[in-house]
Amino acid sequence: MSAITRDRAVRPAPSAVSRRIRRAGSSAILPLVVPALLVALWWWGSESAVNGLFIAPPRDVLDRTLSDFLSPHPGDLFLGEVARHDLVPSLWRAALGFWLAVVVGVGLGIVLGLRPVLAALFQPLVHLGRSLPTPALIGVFFLLFGTGDWPKVLLIAFGVVWPILFNTIDGVQGIGTARAHVASVFKIPSRDVLLRIVLPGAAPKIFAGVRVALSLSLIMMVISELQKAKNGLGYLLVYSQRNFDYPGFWTVLVVLAVVGIVLNVIMIQIERRVLAWHRGVTAQHD
Amino acid sequence: MQLIHEPLSRRSEVVLGVAGVLGSALVLELLIRLEIVTGSGLPLPSAVADQARGLLGDVDFWSQILYTLREWMLGLAIASVAGVVLGGLMGASRTVFKLFALTVEILRPLPAIAVGPLLVLLIGDGMLPLAVTVAIACTWPILFNSMYAAKAVDPVAIQTARTLHVSPLGILTRIRLPAALPFMFTGIRVAASIGLIVAVSAELLLGNGVGIGGYILLASTSASNLDAVYAATLVAGVMGVLVSVLFAVADRLLFGWKAGLAP
Amino acid sequence: MTEHTTERTAPASLELEAISKVYGVTRAIDEINAQVPAGEVTVIVGPSGAGKTTLLRIISGLDTPTTGRVLFDGSPIKGVPDGLAMVFQDYSRSLFPWMRVEDNVAFPLRRGVEKAERRRRVLEALQAVGLEGKERLYPWQMSGGMQQRVAIARALACHPRLLVMDEPYASVDAQTRAELEDLLLEIQTRLNVTVLVVTHDIDESVYLADNIIVMSKAPSTVQEVIRVGLARPRDQIATKEEPEFVHARAHVLRLLRGEAEPEAATPDDTLEVGV
Ligand SMILES: Nc1ncnc2c1ncn2[C@@H]1O[C@H](COP(=O)(O)OP(=O)(O)OP(=O)(O)O)[C@@H](O)[C@H]1O
Ligand SMILES: [Mg+2]
């Protein structure tokens, strides 16, 4: 033990700069280790005799992703054939369903959250909605709303509205008596109470719900396209698998992951802006 | 705007809840019967309830329910082990966190359901690919909560224990673990609800007619049998509600002390 | 500050007539009769659970009494009286963490006050509590004492005629508490506003008060109303050494401990202590 400490003491202390560089280097490399291993595993799997059939080599998948989803033409906004044909409609429907869910979920959630009687009336139904396996209703939605985009959009909205609704109710009810008293003592007009107390006060909870809804809407997007679809990532997933086009199948998975990551980053940025105060408050209490 | 309300008593909450369910069903029933809303495939509450009652008396449907439950439990168990171990390590060690954080962020947005077909190809038929699909979806909330759990312990509590001459092992078992457990359990609780939905969805999309999802899949093939689809979906939803109630009760019983900490 | 005296109307007075409050089966307040004279500082002290917070909520129209009524400037209140502003005990919850200090203070002013006037009043109020230059901060970027000052500034910006405070200094340190006490007395004189304060701290009650209303434990009644004739401006050290201060403090303490018989109420119902 003492030998080690002596040894350390003799060695010249690394300068702060070199220490920082080394730390930066390790923090840049460390996160890449596991993904690299996973890609290696993927490649090894694709070479294996048994499963190699179903596992497209990473290289092929990368090529396919680039050629299908990107294009050198500015006129196509650099979007490849497949991106234009499947990715864009998929995202469009998902966005529409998601926004519908946000509007309905937040609006209804505020109304219910402000009225305990209404909240109590609908609480069991909200819980039920949250627990329903929405994909089971896909067939029903096609029957109810015809074919085309609408049943898909509505299925996405129906599938993801519940966490938003639930969290908004929770957030509004959690505003607290102290703030409610302030509102009435100072006779704050309803509009201000709504826009400047209720909405911001419930915002952290609402955002938590919206985040869940966002990742759910990606799942619902895929599911809504597994039947009766002419385009979309979900359709592509089924189509490529039926045609034993496994590179195509893996490509869709990669694109889904990329879309998920991009949406997540966007969400984090919006949250940063809107909830800056909230981070300040929680940091203070840490 | 009225922001202050007398909190409702537990009893009136229950009464209102029941009234809300029955009232909504009644309104829907009337809307359809009086043909105020029309269209094929609308769920007539009385017919759906009838069908649900029939399903619950059906031995075969019960075996499907049990299949789904077993699949769900298997998936949840896999996810719990994976999530608690990896999440706990990520919370406890900066290095492990750095190693896995990016990977987790890349893999998490992947819809578990989309990976399902691949699992069937790789693992083969049966319950395992379904359970693994469930596990993938369930891992994330458990992992994140376990990560927070590992950091949850109040440093003051540890310092206090040190001054009381509690051994390092004692600190782990009597302070760190009790502080972490409620958070881990929260993760498992959230995952349990998600897991049941994913289980049914996975059966629906990749299964071969097994489980509640499989039943719904078969029922949806004939348009005349829509009430069965609604009923089975409803049963699955009610099961989900029961599961989350059970977990909430367990949470309260096991970790009731946590409420005292709430700011 | 003379330029504002025109718009700031006279301080308000309060009368509490036979107020009682029953929660379900618990009788929190048995019967309270008291006066809060205009332009003075009245302090309510009483044991924990005596119903002080309940009484303040009734006075500020947030709650209704089971029986009895509150007269604000002679007329019974319906809802929150105009001209009443309140400082809550829990500043961390009564300030809005998503608004900057200036927006917090300006918030109650939004209705019907010009933008320039709003700005002027915010600055005036912040200056009154010694927080000039802090208007762009968020509450959580400030210390507890500063946050409570913001809450006071928010109440002042409304130009209240009655300022109600529920244990306003219970969660700040002793040094800040002393500063805020002096600040309150100074503002009260300068702005000529009626102040009603609830406190747990007996020293604080005597130091701040022109009148102390001592409540008994629940179901509560008024044990005694003590008139404090200590000269203004008061001083944290000198005033607290005066015999009247010492006497009054001991008297309140005895009342709260139940050792002293309330001194028999004289017909004009208050009495000078230590004179
Ligand atoms: N909303 C309520 N429902 C039922 N009981 C209540 C309610 N609010 C207060 N009480 C009861 O009324 C009594 C007086 O409470 P209050 O909060 O007014 O006391 P307090 O004098 O302010 O006490 P403290 O000094 O501890 O703040 C207590 O016994 C309390 O339990
Ligand atoms: Mg109180």
Side-chain angles (χ1 to χ4, degrees), chain C residues 25-26 38 42 47 55 61 72 80 111 119 132 151 154-155 157 163 174 177 199 217 219 224-225 246 251 268:
Chain C
V25 288
T26 43
T42 301
L55 188 62
F72 186 92
V80 183
R111 203 175 34 169
R119 175 99 193 128
E132 314 85 324
R154 176 172 67 186
L163 183 60
R177 174 186 273 247
T199 179
K217 60 177 188 292
E224 193 177 325
V225 177
V246 176
H251 186 65
D268 54 271

Side-chain angles (χ1 to χ4, degrees), chain A residues 5-19:
Chain A
T5 36
R6 208 178 321 126
D7 196 40
R8 260 205 203 134
V10 170
R11 224 190 297 152
S15 76
V17 174
S18 77
R19 212 182 311 139

Side-chain angles (χ1 to χ4, degrees), chain A residues 124-144:
Chain A
L125 289 175
V126 175
H127 277 294
L128 180 65
R130 235 165 38 122
S131 308
L132 282 181
T134 321
L137 296 176
I138 179 169
V140 173
F141 268 67
F142 281 122
L143 202 68
L144 286 176

Side-chain angles (χ1 to χ4, degrees), chain A residues 179 184 187 192 196 281 284, chain C residues 80 82 93 98 110 140:
Chain A
R179 281 171 195 149
S184 36
K187 301 193 169 168
D192 284 345
R196 311 235 307 158
V281 174
Q284 187 198 31
Chain C
V80 183
D82 279 321
R93 293 204 194 133
W98 50 88
R110 289 168 64 81
W140 38 269

Side-chain angles (χ1 to χ4, degrees), chain A residues 88-106 134 141 149-165 209-210 212-222 224-225 263:
Chain A
V88 171
S90 261
L91 289 182
W92 170 242
R93 287 189 291 260
L96 215 58
F98 171 74
W99 273 113
L100 203 61
V102 170
V103 171
V104 172
V106 173
T134 321
F141 268 67
D149 282 351
W150 274 111
K152 301 187 180 73
V153 170
L154 291 176
L155 187 75
I156 295 171
F158 183 80
V160 311
V161 74
W162 305 104
I164 306 178
L165 180 60
V210 167
V212 174
L214 190 68
S215 50
L216 256 184
S217 60
L218 218 55
I219 296 179
M220 292 308 302
M221 171 189 92
V222 171
S224 72
E225 293 161 353
L263 289 182

Side-chain angles (χ1 to χ4, degrees), chain A residues 63-70 79-84 248 251:
Chain A
D63 287 347
R64 262 299 273 287
T65 311
L66 295 180
S67 67
D68 283 2
F69 285 85
L70 293 178
L79 290 174
E81 164 96 41
V82 181
R84 270 175 292 140
T251 303

